[in-house]
Amino acid sequence: MSYAVKEMFLTLQGEGVQAGRRAVFTRFAGCNLWSGLEKDRASAVCQFCDTDFVGMDGDGGGRFKDAAALAAAISATWGEGEDNRFVVLTGGEPMLQVDDALIDTLHSAGFEIAIESNGTLAVPRSIDWICISPKAGSETIQRSGDELKLVWPQSGSDWEAMQDWDFANHLLQPMDARLDEAANEANLQTAIAFVQAHPKWRLSLQTHKILGLA
């Protein structure tokens, strides 16, 4: 199987429980919640998406012929040293492409594997760190893992039901309104108030944006 990757880069994980950790981000092209037929994302399920997952033209992106080729590129992006290797498989929706061959090859290369998925497809437990970010209007199949990350506010999200899902961590992340500073501040305050009222949830910030990282 070949893999279509939008971009690949070395950075620090900016969100969630693993925030601050050195990581190779591997962003797979394509998402099952956006058909690509819309002129924009106005009719997509998650209209607030701030990620470019279309094509393979980003830094480090391209078509990789097999798991060995992709794992080699991820290793090269990590650079020297094999201790504490960490890769984040994201998208788009990475589970459209991630398979056992890639998981096994990355493990053989010494990587701990994290995935960031919308949860509409099952994620194998052979992945070391499972982060699911449910999107209102879609069916969340994957209801267990290490981290549930709910973007907030998100009209139509059944957060009460999510509290019973089998995740070690329940995180609430303020929605990014892009360049609208007033909306961003309002979303932050709304998220803070939510966590204050519902202590099972913890606030997650996009620290990579605060720090100016990719």
Side-chain angles (χ1 to χ4, degrees):
M1 173 178 173
S2 66
Y3 305 90
V5 173
K6 172 65 180 185
E7 60 182 347
M8 185 189 309
F9 53 92
L10 182 66
T11 187
L12 301 182
Q13 169 62 285
E15 302 175 358
V17 177
Q18 300 275 11
R21 186 172 179 182
R22 182 186 183 188
V24 176
F25 262 64
T26 302
R27 188 179 309 284
F28 288 87
C31 181
N32 59 339
L33 297 184
W34 185 65
S35 71
L37 300 178
E38 304 91 345
K39 292 182 180 179
D40 54 34
R41 298 182 186 175
S43 58
V45 170
C46 38
Q47 299 172 24
F48 54 84
C49 181
D50 62 352
T51 302
D52 182 5
F53 51 78
V54 178
M56 296 177 284
D57 57 345
D59 290 345
R63 173 74 66 176
F64 296 85
K65 66 178 182 178
D66 54 26
L70 180 51
I74 292 170
S75 294
T77 303
W78 178 268
E80 296 183 2
E82 297 186 0
D83 293 337
N84 301 308
R85 282 181 158 189
F86 187 54
V87 60
V88 178
L89 308 180
T90 185
E93 177 44 53
M95 281 311 304
L96 292 171
Q97 301 187 58
V98 172
D99 58 5
D100 289 340
L102 181 59
I103 294 168
D104 292 345
T105 305
L106 286 171
H107 279 153
S108 295
F111 279 95
E112 182 180 348
I113 304 170
I115 196 165
E116 296 180 348
S117 168
N118 60 33
T120 58
L121 302 169
V123 180
R125 188 60 268 192
S126 54
I127 290 178
D128 304 292
W129 187 268
I130 298 174
C131 174
I132 299 299
S133 182
K135 305 300 188 291
S138 67
E139 182 181 4
T140 305
I141 300 297
Q142 185 66 36
R143 299 187 177 186
S144 64
D146 302 286
E147 185 175 286
L148 179 74
K149 184 173 61 184
L150 179 61
V151 175
W152 196 257
Q154 194 178 156
S155 178
S157 287
D158 189 359
W159 63 268
E160 291 174 302
M162 294 176 192
Q163 293 195 127
D164 295 327
W165 294 357
D166 186 17
F167 286 88
N169 301 278
H170 284 66
L171 306 180
L172 201 78
Q173 184 165 289
M175 184 179 293
D176 183 1
R178 302 177 190 176
L179 300 179
D180 189 334
E181 294 185 7
N184 280 330
E185 179 62 24
N187 291 343
L188 173 60
Q189 294 306 318
T190 298
I192 290 172
F194 182 102
V195 173
Q196 291 280 17
H198 307 286
K200 183 167 186 175
W201 297 80
R202 295 162 53 190
L203 186 68
S204 172
L205 299 178
Q206 293 182 298
T207 61
H208 56 293
K209 293 182 179 179
I210 296 171
L211 298 172
L213 299 174

